[in-house]
Amino acid sequence: MTQDFYCDEVLSGKTKVVIVMETDTVLAYHHTRPYYEHHIVVIPKIHIQSLISEEEENNDELLLEIMRVIKKISAGLVEQTGAAKIVTNLGRYQDSKHQHWHVVSGDRIMND
């Protein structure tokens, strides 16, 4: 995997995705290789390394917009399936060095 799958593939348009929700600063789409029956990825549209990285653009306004999108998507999944889980990874757990959030529901369909 590249250091930044999201900038290199998704945001560049090289990898086509099915968009769930989009704002000026945030993109949410169906995971290209889902691990769960319902698996949505939420990313900022600019490069931010992680939730805790120190880029100037990694500010409260961006985090609030990400959380607004996650909240709407999660509410829809809870209404549809009865449950949802929200996960982000940091440090060594990050397979791609771009802030990303997983909103998932249903049975696990793929192992790591």
PDB file of all heavy atoms in Angstrom, residues 50-78:
ATOM      1  N   SER A  50      -3.053  12.504  10.273  1.00  0.00           N
ATOM      2  CA  SER A  50      -3.852  11.736  11.226  1.00  0.00           C
ATOM      3  C   SER A  50      -4.633  12.684  12.124  1.00  0.00           C
ATOM      4  O   SER A  50      -4.450  13.902  12.069  1.00  0.00           O
ATOM      5  CB  SER A  50      -2.963  10.821  12.083  1.00  0.00           C
ATOM      6  OG  SER A  50      -2.264  11.579  13.063  1.00  0.00           O
ATOM      7  N   LEU A  51      -5.455  12.118  12.963  1.00  0.00           N
ATOM      8  CA  LEU A  51      -6.243  12.906  13.914  1.00  0.00           C
ATOM      9  C   LEU A  51      -5.341  13.786  14.777  1.00  0.00           C
ATOM     10  O   LEU A  51      -5.695  14.925  15.096  1.00  0.00           O
ATOM     11  CB  LEU A  51      -7.067  11.967  14.804  1.00  0.00           C
ATOM     12  CG  LEU A  51      -7.842  12.605  15.949  1.00  0.00           C
ATOM     13  CD1 LEU A  51      -8.921  13.523  15.413  1.00  0.00           C
ATOM     14  CD2 LEU A  51      -8.433  11.530  16.845  1.00  0.00           C
ATOM     15  N   ILE A  52      -4.163  13.296  15.129  1.00  0.00           N
ATOM     16  CA  ILE A  52      -3.305  14.010  16.068  1.00  0.00           C
ATOM     17  C   ILE A  52      -2.118  14.710  15.409  1.00  0.00           C
ATOM     18  O   ILE A  52      -1.275  15.277  16.097  1.00  0.00           O
ATOM     19  CB  ILE A  52      -2.806  13.067  17.188  1.00  0.00           C
ATOM     20  CG1 ILE A  52      -1.998  11.910  16.606  1.00  0.00           C
ATOM     21  CG2 ILE A  52      -3.980  12.582  18.021  1.00  0.00           C
ATOM     22  CD1 ILE A  52      -1.318  11.040  17.654  1.00  0.00           C
ATOM     23  N   SER A  53      -2.053  14.699  14.084  1.00  0.00           N
ATOM     24  CA  SER A  53      -0.927  15.352  13.412  1.00  0.00           C
ATOM     25  C   SER A  53      -1.067  16.872  13.517  1.00  0.00           C
ATOM     26  O   SER A  53      -2.136  17.401  13.807  1.00  0.00           O
ATOM     27  CB  SER A  53      -0.823  14.898  11.962  1.00  0.00           C
ATOM     28  OG  SER A  53      -1.979  15.240  11.248  1.00  0.00           O
ATOM     29  N   GLU A  54       0.024  17.577  13.262  1.00  0.00           N
ATOM     30  CA  GLU A  54       0.088  18.992  13.594  1.00  0.00           C
ATOM     31  C   GLU A  54       0.013  19.942  12.403  1.00  0.00           C
ATOM     32  O   GLU A  54       0.436  21.090  12.507  1.00  0.00           O
ATOM     33  CB  GLU A  54       1.347  19.244  14.401  1.00  0.00           C
ATOM     34  CG  GLU A  54       1.389  18.317  15.605  1.00  0.00           C
ATOM     35  CD  GLU A  54       1.883  18.974  16.859  1.00  0.00           C
ATOM     36  OE1 GLU A  54       2.184  20.175  16.836  1.00  0.00           O
ATOM     37  OE2 GLU A  54       1.942  18.280  17.869  1.00  0.00           O
ATOM     38  N   GLU A  55      -0.541  19.498  11.260  1.00  0.00           N
ATOM     39  CA  GLU A  55      -0.707  20.431  10.145  1.00  0.00           C
ATOM     40  C   GLU A  55      -1.615  21.587  10.572  1.00  0.00           C
ATOM     41  O   GLU A  55      -2.563  21.388  11.315  1.00  0.00           O
ATOM     42  CB  GLU A  55      -1.353  19.742   8.935  1.00  0.00           C
ATOM     43  CG  GLU A  55      -0.566  18.615   8.335  1.00  0.00           C
ATOM     44  CD  GLU A  55      -0.947  17.265   8.909  1.00  0.00           C
ATOM     45  OE1 GLU A  55      -1.616  17.197   9.949  1.00  0.00           O
ATOM     46  OE2 GLU A  55      -0.560  16.260   8.298  1.00  0.00           O
ATOM     47  N   GLU A  56      -1.325  22.763  10.063  1.00  0.00           N
ATOM     48  CA  GLU A  56      -2.134  23.937  10.396  1.00  0.00           C
ATOM     49  C   GLU A  56      -3.605  23.716  10.029  1.00  0.00           C
ATOM     50  O   GLU A  56      -4.509  24.151  10.741  1.00  0.00           O
ATOM     51  CB  GLU A  56      -1.589  25.159   9.661  1.00  0.00           C
ATOM     52  CG  GLU A  56      -2.305  26.440  10.011  1.00  0.00           C
ATOM     53  CD  GLU A  56      -1.702  27.647   9.300  1.00  0.00           C
ATOM     54  OE1 GLU A  56      -0.522  27.603   8.946  1.00  0.00           O
ATOM     55  OE2 GLU A  56      -2.440  28.625   9.107  1.00  0.00           O
ATOM     56  N   GLU A  57      -3.839  23.027   8.915  1.00  0.00           N
ATOM     57  CA  GLU A  57      -5.207  22.790   8.443  1.00  0.00           C
ATOM     58  C   GLU A  57      -5.959  21.744   9.283  1.00  0.00           C
ATOM     59  O   GLU A  57      -7.162  21.595   9.156  1.00  0.00           O
ATOM     60  CB  GLU A  57      -5.196  22.321   6.989  1.00  0.00           C
ATOM     61  CG  GLU A  57      -4.582  23.306   6.039  1.00  0.00           C
ATOM     62  CD  GLU A  57      -3.053  23.206   5.969  1.00  0.00           C
ATOM     63  OE1 GLU A  57      -2.450  22.318   6.611  1.00  0.00           O
ATOM     64  OE2 GLU A  57      -2.461  24.025   5.261  1.00  0.00           O
ATOM     65  N   ASN A  58      -5.238  21.019  10.133  1.00  0.00           N
ATOM     66  CA  ASN A  58      -5.860  20.017  11.003  1.00  0.00           C
ATOM     67  C   ASN A  58      -6.409  20.737  12.233  1.00  0.00           C
ATOM     68  O   ASN A  58      -5.905  20.627  13.337  1.00  0.00           O
ATOM     69  CB  ASN A  58      -4.842  18.949  11.397  1.00  0.00           C
ATOM     70  CG  ASN A  58      -5.494  17.743  12.036  1.00  0.00           C
ATOM     71  OD1 ASN A  58      -6.704  17.600  12.018  1.00  0.00           O
ATOM     72  ND2 ASN A  58      -4.685  16.864  12.591  1.00  0.00           N
ATOM     73  N   ASN A  59      -7.485  21.472  12.007  1.00  0.00           N
ATOM     74  CA  ASN A  59      -8.029  22.348  13.039  1.00  0.00           C
ATOM     75  C   ASN A  59      -9.430  21.901  13.459  1.00  0.00           C
ATOM     76  O   ASN A  59      -9.982  20.942  12.933  1.00  0.00           O
ATOM     77  CB  ASN A  59      -8.022  23.799  12.554  1.00  0.00           C
ATOM     78  CG  ASN A  59      -8.763  23.949  11.236  1.00  0.00           C
ATOM     79  OD1 ASN A  59      -9.808  23.347  11.010  1.00  0.00           O
ATOM     80  ND2 ASN A  59      -8.219  24.765  10.338  1.00  0.00           N
ATOM     81  N   ASP A  60      -9.974  22.626  14.410  1.00  0.00           N
ATOM     82  CA  ASP A  60     -11.288  22.277  14.961  1.00  0.00           C
ATOM     83  C   ASP A  60     -12.382  22.326  13.905  1.00  0.00           C
ATOM     84  O   ASP A  60     -13.297  21.491  13.918  1.00  0.00           O
ATOM     85  CB  ASP A  60     -11.658  23.211  16.115  1.00  0.00           C
ATOM     86  CG  ASP A  60     -10.772  23.010  17.338  1.00  0.00           C
ATOM     87  OD1 ASP A  60     -10.051  21.984  17.400  1.00  0.00           O
ATOM     88  OD2 ASP A  60     -10.793  23.885  18.226  1.00  0.00           O
ATOM     89  N   GLU A  61     -12.307  23.277  12.981  1.00  0.00           N
ATOM     90  CA  GLU A  61     -13.344  23.390  11.952  1.00  0.00           C
ATOM     91  C   GLU A  61     -13.371  22.149  11.061  1.00  0.00           C
ATOM     92  O   GLU A  61     -14.434  21.632  10.742  1.00  0.00           O
ATOM     93  CB  GLU A  61     -13.131  24.652  11.098  1.00  0.00           C
ATOM     94  CG  GLU A  61     -13.388  25.947  11.835  1.00  0.00           C
ATOM     95  CD  GLU A  61     -12.240  26.370  12.746  1.00  0.00           C
ATOM     96  OE1 GLU A  61     -11.080  25.960  12.510  1.00  0.00           O
ATOM     97  OE2 GLU A  61     -12.506  27.104  13.714  1.00  0.00           O
ATOM     98  N   LEU A  62     -12.197  21.666  10.667  1.00  0.00           N
ATOM     99  CA  LEU A  62     -12.135  20.458   9.854  1.00  0.00           C
ATOM    100  C   LEU A  62     -12.662  19.256  10.626  1.00  0.00           C
ATOM    101  O   LEU A  62     -13.464  18.479  10.110  1.00  0.00           O
ATOM    102  CB  LEU A  62     -10.707  20.193   9.366  1.00  0.00           C
ATOM    103  CG  LEU A  62     -10.538  18.932   8.523  1.00  0.00           C
ATOM    104  CD1 LEU A  62     -11.378  18.990   7.246  1.00  0.00           C
ATOM    105  CD2 LEU A  62      -9.062  18.708   8.205  1.00  0.00           C
ATOM    106  N   LEU A  63     -12.232  19.128  11.878  1.00  0.00           N
ATOM    107  CA  LEU A  63     -12.698  18.000  12.689  1.00  0.00           C
ATOM    108  C   LEU A  63     -14.218  18.044  12.880  1.00  0.00           C
ATOM    109  O   LEU A  63     -14.883  17.007  12.795  1.00  0.00           O
ATOM    110  CB  LEU A  63     -11.990  17.989  14.035  1.00  0.00           C
ATOM    111  CG  LEU A  63     -12.324  16.802  14.942  1.00  0.00           C
ATOM    112  CD1 LEU A  63     -11.989  15.468  14.262  1.00  0.00           C
ATOM    113  CD2 LEU A  63     -11.584  16.924  16.264  1.00  0.00           C
ATOM    114  N   LEU A  64     -14.762  19.222  13.088  1.00  0.00           N
ATOM    115  CA  LEU A  64     -16.217  19.339  13.241  1.00  0.00           C
ATOM    116  C   LEU A  64     -16.944  18.933  11.957  1.00  0.00           C
ATOM    117  O   LEU A  64     -17.984  18.262  12.015  1.00  0.00           O
ATOM    118  CB  LEU A  64     -16.612  20.762  13.639  1.00  0.00           C
ATOM    119  CG  LEU A  64     -16.372  21.120  15.100  1.00  0.00           C
ATOM    120  CD1 LEU A  64     -16.594  22.607  15.328  1.00  0.00           C
ATOM    121  CD2 LEU A  64     -17.246  20.292  16.019  1.00  0.00           C
ATOM    122  N   GLU A  65     -16.414  19.308  10.810  1.00  0.00           N
ATOM    123  CA  GLU A  65     -17.043  18.919   9.542  1.00  0.00           C
ATOM    124  C   GLU A  65     -16.963  17.407   9.346  1.00  0.00           C
ATOM    125  O   GLU A  65     -17.927  16.772   8.921  1.00  0.00           O
ATOM    126  CB  GLU A  65     -16.397  19.658   8.368  1.00  0.00           C
ATOM    127  CG  GLU A  65     -17.057  19.379   7.044  1.00  0.00           C
ATOM    128  CD  GLU A  65     -18.503  19.873   6.961  1.00  0.00           C
ATOM    129  OE1 GLU A  65     -18.965  20.661   7.810  1.00  0.00           O
ATOM    130  OE2 GLU A  65     -19.187  19.459   6.010  1.00  0.00           O
ATOM    131  N   ILE A  66     -15.826  16.818   9.666  1.00  0.00           N
ATOM    132  CA  ILE A  66     -15.695  15.359   9.590  1.00  0.00           C
ATOM    133  C   ILE A  66     -16.718  14.700  10.511  1.00  0.00           C
ATOM    134  O   ILE A  66     -17.410  13.753  10.118  1.00  0.00           O
ATOM    135  CB  ILE A  66     -14.258  14.923   9.940  1.00  0.00           C
ATOM    136  CG1 ILE A  66     -13.288  15.362   8.840  1.00  0.00           C
ATOM    137  CG2 ILE A  66     -14.179  13.411  10.155  1.00  0.00           C
ATOM    138  CD1 ILE A  66     -11.816  15.243   9.220  1.00  0.00           C
ATOM    139  N   MET A  67     -16.835  15.208  11.731  1.00  0.00           N
ATOM    140  CA  MET A  67     -17.777  14.629  12.695  1.00  0.00           C
ATOM    141  C   MET A  67     -19.229  14.814  12.246  1.00  0.00           C
ATOM    142  O   MET A  67     -20.059  13.921  12.457  1.00  0.00           O
ATOM    143  CB  MET A  67     -17.572  15.241  14.081  1.00  0.00           C
ATOM    144  CG  MET A  67     -16.303  14.778  14.773  1.00  0.00           C
ATOM    145  SD  MET A  67     -16.315  12.995  15.103  1.00  0.00           S
ATOM    146  CE  MET A  67     -15.015  12.455  14.045  1.00  0.00           C
ATOM    147  N   ARG A  68     -19.545  15.922  11.600  1.00  0.00           N
ATOM    148  CA  ARG A  68     -20.907  16.116  11.067  1.00  0.00           C
ATOM    149  C   ARG A  68     -21.233  15.033  10.036  1.00  0.00           C
ATOM    150  O   ARG A  68     -22.325  14.458  10.045  1.00  0.00           O
ATOM    151  CB  ARG A  68     -21.058  17.491  10.423  1.00  0.00           C
ATOM    152  CG  ARG A  68     -21.227  18.624  11.374  1.00  0.00           C
ATOM    153  CD  ARG A  68     -21.493  19.941  10.622  1.00  0.00           C
ATOM    154  NE  ARG A  68     -21.220  21.061  11.470  1.00  0.00           N
ATOM    155  CZ  ARG A  68     -20.110  21.796  11.458  1.00  0.00           C
ATOM    156  NH1 ARG A  68     -19.166  21.553  10.577  1.00  0.00           N
ATOM    157  NH2 ARG A  68     -19.951  22.795  12.294  1.00  0.00           N
ATOM    158  N   VAL A  69     -20.287  14.775   9.147  1.00  0.00           N
ATOM    159  CA  VAL A  69     -20.496  13.748   8.121  1.00  0.00           C
ATOM    160  C   VAL A  69     -20.612  12.369   8.777  1.00  0.00           C
ATOM    161  O   VAL A  69     -21.524  11.606   8.462  1.00  0.00           O
ATOM    162  CB  VAL A  69     -19.359  13.790   7.074  1.00  0.00           C
ATOM    163  CG1 VAL A  69     -19.412  12.590   6.144  1.00  0.00           C
ATOM    164  CG2 VAL A  69     -19.425  15.094   6.287  1.00  0.00           C
ATOM    165  N   ILE A  70     -19.712  12.066   9.695  1.00  0.00           N
ATOM    166  CA  ILE A  70     -19.757  10.771  10.390  1.00  0.00           C
ATOM    167  C   ILE A  70     -21.072  10.613  11.143  1.00  0.00           C
ATOM    168  O   ILE A  70     -21.675   9.535  11.124  1.00  0.00           O
ATOM    169  CB  ILE A  70     -18.542  10.624  11.334  1.00  0.00           C
ATOM    170  CG1 ILE A  70     -17.263  10.429  10.511  1.00  0.00           C
ATOM    171  CG2 ILE A  70     -18.741   9.488  12.319  1.00  0.00           C
ATOM    172  CD1 ILE A  70     -15.976  10.465  11.323  1.00  0.00           C
ATOM    173  N   LYS A  71     -21.533  11.669  11.781  1.00  0.00           N
ATOM    174  CA  LYS A  71     -22.789  11.618  12.540  1.00  0.00           C
ATOM    175  C   LYS A  71     -23.966  11.273  11.627  1.00  0.00           C
ATOM    176  O   LYS A  71     -24.784  10.406  11.951  1.00  0.00           O
ATOM    177  CB  LYS A  71     -23.019  12.955  13.247  1.00  0.00           C
ATOM    178  CG  LYS A  71     -24.249  12.988  14.116  1.00  0.00           C
ATOM    179  CD  LYS A  71     -24.350  14.330  14.844  1.00  0.00           C
ATOM    180  CE  LYS A  71     -25.592  14.388  15.706  1.00  0.00           C
ATOM    181  NZ  LYS A  71     -25.688  15.671  16.431  1.00  0.00           N
ATOM    182  N   LYS A  72     -24.050  11.926  10.460  1.00  0.00           N
ATOM    183  CA  LYS A  72     -25.151  11.656   9.527  1.00  0.00           C
ATOM    184  C   LYS A  72     -25.085  10.227   8.983  1.00  0.00           C
ATOM    185  O   LYS A  72     -26.103   9.525   8.912  1.00  0.00           O
ATOM    186  CB  LYS A  72     -25.127  12.652   8.372  1.00  0.00           C
ATOM    187  CG  LYS A  72     -25.557  14.042   8.771  1.00  0.00           C
ATOM    188  CD  LYS A  72     -25.480  15.013   7.606  1.00  0.00           C
ATOM    189  CE  LYS A  72     -25.817  16.416   8.066  1.00  0.00           C
ATOM    190  NZ  LYS A  72     -25.667  17.394   6.991  1.00  0.00           N
ATOM    191  N   ILE A  73     -23.908   9.803   8.611  1.00  0.00           N
ATOM    192  CA  ILE A  73     -23.753   8.447   8.068  1.00  0.00           C
ATOM    193  C   ILE A  73     -24.061   7.407   9.138  1.00  0.00           C
ATOM    194  O   ILE A  73     -24.762   6.425   8.885  1.00  0.00           O
ATOM    195  CB  ILE A  73     -22.338   8.261   7.498  1.00  0.00           C
ATOM    196  CG1 ILE A  73     -22.186   9.104   6.232  1.00  0.00           C
ATOM    197  CG2 ILE A  73     -22.035   6.793   7.222  1.00  0.00           C
ATOM    198  CD1 ILE A  73     -20.773   9.229   5.745  1.00  0.00           C
ATOM    199  N   SER A  74     -23.554   7.627  10.339  1.00  0.00           N
ATOM    200  CA  SER A  74     -23.800   6.691  11.444  1.00  0.00           C
ATOM    201  C   SER A  74     -25.284   6.605  11.783  1.00  0.00           C
ATOM    202  O   SER A  74     -25.808   5.514  12.014  1.00  0.00           O
ATOM    203  CB  SER A  74     -23.019   7.114  12.686  1.00  0.00           C
ATOM    204  OG  SER A  74     -21.645   7.124  12.430  1.00  0.00           O
ATOM    205  N   ALA A  75     -25.963   7.732  11.801  1.00  0.00           N
ATOM    206  CA  ALA A  75     -27.397   7.740  12.092  1.00  0.00           C
ATOM    207  C   ALA A  75     -28.148   6.925  11.045  1.00  0.00           C
ATOM    208  O   ALA A  75     -29.056   6.154  11.379  1.00  0.00           O
ATOM    209  CB  ALA A  75     -27.925   9.165  12.144  1.00  0.00           C
ATOM    210  N   GLY A  76     -27.765   7.080   9.787  1.00  0.00           N
ATOM    211  CA  GLY A  76     -28.402   6.303   8.722  1.00  0.00           C
ATOM    212  C   GLY A  76     -28.160   4.817   8.873  1.00  0.00           C
ATOM    213  O   GLY A  76     -29.072   4.010   8.672  1.00  0.00           O
ATOM    214  N   LEU A  77     -26.929   4.425   9.235  1.00  0.00           N
ATOM    215  CA  LEU A  77     -26.642   3.000   9.431  1.00  0.00           C
ATOM    216  C   LEU A  77     -27.389   2.437  10.629  1.00  0.00           C
ATOM    217  O   LEU A  77     -27.897   1.310  10.561  1.00  0.00           O
ATOM    218  CB  LEU A  77     -25.132   2.773   9.599  1.00  0.00           C
ATOM    219  CG  LEU A  77     -24.318   2.752   8.333  1.00  0.00           C
ATOM    220  CD1 LEU A  77     -22.828   2.572   8.646  1.00  0.00           C
ATOM    221  CD2 LEU A  77     -24.784   1.660   7.387  1.00  0.00           C
ATOM    222  N   VAL A  78     -27.457   3.201  11.718  1.00  0.00           N
ATOM    223  CA  VAL A  78     -28.202   2.732  12.888  1.00  0.00           C
ATOM    224  C   VAL A  78     -29.675   2.561  12.537  1.00  0.00           C
ATOM    225  O   VAL A  78     -30.304   1.567  12.912  1.00  0.00           O
ATOM    226  CB  VAL A  78     -28.005   3.673  14.093  1.00  0.00           C
ATOM    227  CG1 VAL A  78     -28.984   3.343  15.219  1.00  0.00           C
ATOM    228  CG2 VAL A  78     -26.571   3.592  14.593  1.00  0.00           C
TER     229      VAL A  78
END
